[in-house]
């Protein structure tokens, strides 16, 4: 896409580790840590960066509950735009990135699909 690299781009890129800035509060020295992406379960986003994609407005939202290996569940919507006949949630799940966008009532998340045990589509 055009523009700056997004958090989802960083998390879905190749490689094992990604850079993460720690500290920049008053009096705290900012430094960079390298984080192992396989151990990140969810990331709360400051804005819904998925909505910046031009195809976002045309993508159909699918209301879902994601059951995680921790026993927790997340409720929200996943948006994707696929050709007719390949637009089921199961089609999306087979081609999903390592981290998927989930829109919740509290805000947007990136969820590591490696921790998703079950996806249930729910009535919206």
């Amino acid at each position: 896409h055009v523009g700056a690299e997004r958090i989802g781009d960083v998390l879905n890129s190749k490689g094992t580790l990604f850079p993460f800035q720690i500290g920049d509060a008053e009096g705290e020295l900012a430094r960079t840590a390298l984080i192992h992406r396989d151990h990140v379960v969810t990331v709360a986003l400051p804005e819904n960066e998925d909505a910046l994609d031009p195809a976002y407005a045309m993508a159909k939202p699918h209301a879902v509950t994601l059951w995680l290996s921790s026993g927790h569940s997340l409720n929200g919507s996943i948006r994707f735009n696929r050709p007719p006949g390949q637009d089921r949630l199961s089609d999306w799940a087979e081609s999903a990135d390592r981290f998927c966008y989930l829109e919740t009532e509290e805000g947007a998340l990136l969820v590591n699909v490696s921790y998703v045990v079950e996806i249930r589509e729910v009535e919206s």
Side-chain angles (χ1 to χ4, degrees), residues 10-11 15-22 32-41 43 98-99:
V10 172
L11 291 174
T16 304
L17 303 169
F18 66 92
F20 186 80
Q21 182 176 323
I22 297 175
T32 301
L34 296 175
I35 307 294
H36 197 294
R37 71 186 78 245
D38 289 347
H39 297 281
V40 175
V41 180
V43 174
R98 174 185 265 173
F99 286 84

Side-chain angles (χ1 to χ4, degrees), residues 63-64 120-124:
V64 297
R120 294 183 192 174
E121 195 155 12
V122 296
E123 295 291 325
S124 52

Side-chain angles (χ1 to χ4, degrees), residues 48 50-51 53-66 76-97 99-103 113 119-122:
N48 185 2
D50 193 29
D53 187 323
Y56 176 85
M58 296 182 306
K60 178 183 173 188
H62 295 262
V64 297
T65 298
L66 304 180
S77 295
I78 295 172
R79 288 181 180 259
F80 57 92
N81 197 5
R82 310 247 330 168
Q86 299 176 8
D87 54 355
R88 300 169 300 200
L89 189 59
S90 59
D91 297 316
W92 167 84
E94 289 299 314
S95 65
D97 287 327
F99 286 84
C100 70
Y101 290 98
L102 179 70
E103 297 174 33
V113 296
I119 303 173
R120 294 183 192 174
E121 195 155 12
V122 296

